[in-house]
Amino acid sequence: MDQHDRARLSRRAFLGATAAGAALGVAQWTPAFRVSAAEAATSAPPNFPSTISVYQQAFTNWSGEIKLNPTWTCAPSSPNDVVTLANWAYANGWKLRPKGMGHGWSPFLEPSGASGNILLVDTTVNLTAVTVNSGSPASVTAQTGVTMLNLLTSLENAGYGLTNTPAPGDLTLGGVLAIDGHGTSVPAGGESLVAGHTYGSVSNLVTSLTAVVWDSGSSAYVLKTFQRSDPDIGAFLVNLGRAFVTEATLRVGANQRLRCQSTYTTQVTDLFAPPASAGSSSFASLVNKYGRVESIWFPFTTVPWLKVWSVTPSKPWLSKEVDSPFNYSFSDSITTQESGYVADILSGDVGITPTFENLEMSIVGSGLITTGTWDIWGWAKNLLLYVRPTTLQVTANGYAILCARSDIQQVVSDFYTYLQGQLTTYQNAGQYPMNGPWEVRVTGLDNPADCGVPGAVQPLLSAVRPRPDQPQWDTAVWMDLLTVPGTQQSEQLYRQTEQWALSHYTGSYAAVRAEWSKGWAYSGTAAWADPTVLGTTIPNSFRTGQPTDANWDTALATLDKYDPGRIYSTAFTDTLLP
């Protein structure tokens, strides 16, 4: 089998390999093969810098939905190497794509099947240095190829941590900053924000960053450091891959001990009850009590996997102390029974979906008991990182619903009522477009004061950027619907859900923004494909209520200013960020 044959794996073959790999504990997003320049079927990039090795690498993202045939790739040894590459690309008509771990859904690296003069720049090999700067205020300076697991481990070893961080550890810092990565946290009743922390995105903690940008004075790409008070940094803090950030300094605060309690006894109808009938087990009540809440509900079941975290300095006597992350081993891989159900569903036996969903929930319940992880306690990192790349690979849509904290229950109740109604309608027609869970998390918004820099600017393209015209909105409710790629009618359900959300969460009640790392702009047959959502709806979500000199258009103009040759663009970003 030559490299071209190996690159043309069918979706079914990939899913089969994924299921087998997951059962064996293998991270399937890892590229399976590499082709040296001497062995490549095509000529090496012209005039390529002799000091940097180049090879061809096939690429598949975590969910298997984005596949690139062997593409020219390199792993720069230093930020100066990136400068060399940028100037080479500009002079030779090539594109540079900063590549992290590939644990994402949206096509910001490249759309599936992309070809042409593209060079993937792997940041994970060498651009991984971390320096913790102790003192008051404390900070961490890290190159953007470092994984969040390694970054948080370095911080923990020095006595620092983050409040809001994504659940997977196999994300690079650069990837997290590009798409405003977040976790789930707002202040619990009586809780105050600890200095150096934020309830917003990781991007909101940046105090400075260094990127490879165009310098008009020297007519070349150079390394430039932007301070958080520089208006231009606003476009780089969340850049959607339209920039190459090599290093960032983030404000950090004292590490915290957390307790995470998992339950599967709360009725979904109680959790997402209408506000008028919501009680102490309602989602909003739990948010008010704990501040950190995640609900994972598998449709056609009656109870969700509900997780609540609380700041707990001393170990509760009933809690299990943990000293490492990824404690839910039962969700790290899929069983032969699960993979069999997935294969049958994708083959057309969709009627077994309710059985599959109930199996998934039963695995959660039994897993929490057999592993003794229904109540765990430890340093923040060990409780906030809990998703491995070997879990069941699914696709996901994603939206942030901006609202007032007092409206959280109304927001989630409305969505539950809508989703339950849609799935029932599909079920009555013998269709099951969703075979994964509905996940709900809540965060605060990006308050630039959290980073401690006087005059700090907001991340212009952050989904949780505040709306000055709606000062009562202080919260974002994150909604994700998950399903196995290739599920019949799933793209149709995703489009219906997106259009419903956009028409429902409006006015002074709430507003919808895309969760950049997930799926959005659904045409009914594909994600990231609706021209109205891409060209009008999303841009307007970053214009409405914002100053005319610090909005969507400002961000795009700034990114163009520092990359006039558009060496950091793709066919997709040329559509979204023209």
Side-chain angles (χ1 to χ4, degrees), residues 2-203:
D2 65 24
Q3 65 264 29
H4 300 292
D5 293 329
R6 285 179 287 181
R8 288 194 291 265
L9 291 172
S10 68
R11 179 182 295 273
R12 180 65 55 80
F14 180 85
L15 284 169
T18 296
L24 293 170
V26 179
Q28 286 297 310
W29 48 259
T30 302
F33 63 95
R34 177 179 293 183
V35 181
S36 70
E39 299 170 322
T42 59
S43 299
N47 308 311
F48 196 78
S50 60
T51 56
I52 303 173
S53 297
V54 66
Y55 47 90
Q56 286 191 326
Q57 181 74 71
F59 175 81
T60 302
N61 77 328
W62 176 78
S63 65
E65 296 170 280
I66 298 175
K67 299 181 178 70
L68 299 181
N69 286 333
T71 302
W72 288 108
T73 307
C74 68
S77 297
S78 67
N80 284 328
D81 275 355
V82 181
V83 174
T84 299
L85 291 167
N87 285 303
W88 165 83
Y90 181 74
N92 289 274
W94 277 63
K95 305 286 189 181
L96 295 188
R97 305 306 306 137
K99 177 190 169 298
M101 300 298 287
H103 194 145
W105 289 263
S106 51
F108 286 124
L109 177 67
E110 280 289 347
S112 190
S115 60
N117 295 343
I118 301 166
L119 180 72
L120 301 183
V121 182
D122 190 344
T123 64
T124 66
V125 179
N126 300 309
L127 300 182
T128 59
V130 177
T131 301
V132 179
N133 311 302
S134 300
S136 182
S139 65
V140 61
T141 300
Q143 292 179 325
T144 49
V146 68
T147 63
M148 293 304 292
L149 172 59
N150 289 341
L151 176 64
L152 292 172
T153 299
S154 295
L155 287 174
E156 180 184 292
N157 291 339
Y160 302 103
L162 302 182
T163 289
N164 227 353
T165 186
D170 65 310
L171 306 175
T172 61
L173 174 61
V176 168
L177 296 180
I179 50 85
D180 69 339
H182 61 91
T184 181
S185 68
V186 293
E191 180 184 354
S192 298
L193 183 66
V194 175
H197 290 256
T198 186
Y199 297 116
S201 69
V202 176
S203 296

Side-chain angles (χ1 to χ4, degrees), residues 200-232:
S201 69
V202 176
S203 296
N204 192 46
L205 290 172
V206 171
T207 62
S208 67
L209 59 79
T210 301
V212 178
V213 301
W214 180 259
D215 176 61
S216 58
S218 57
S219 295
Y221 284 84
V222 300
L223 285 167
K224 178 178 173 63
T225 298
F226 297 85
Q227 301 300 322
R228 185 63 184 270
S229 56
D230 183 341
D232 284 352

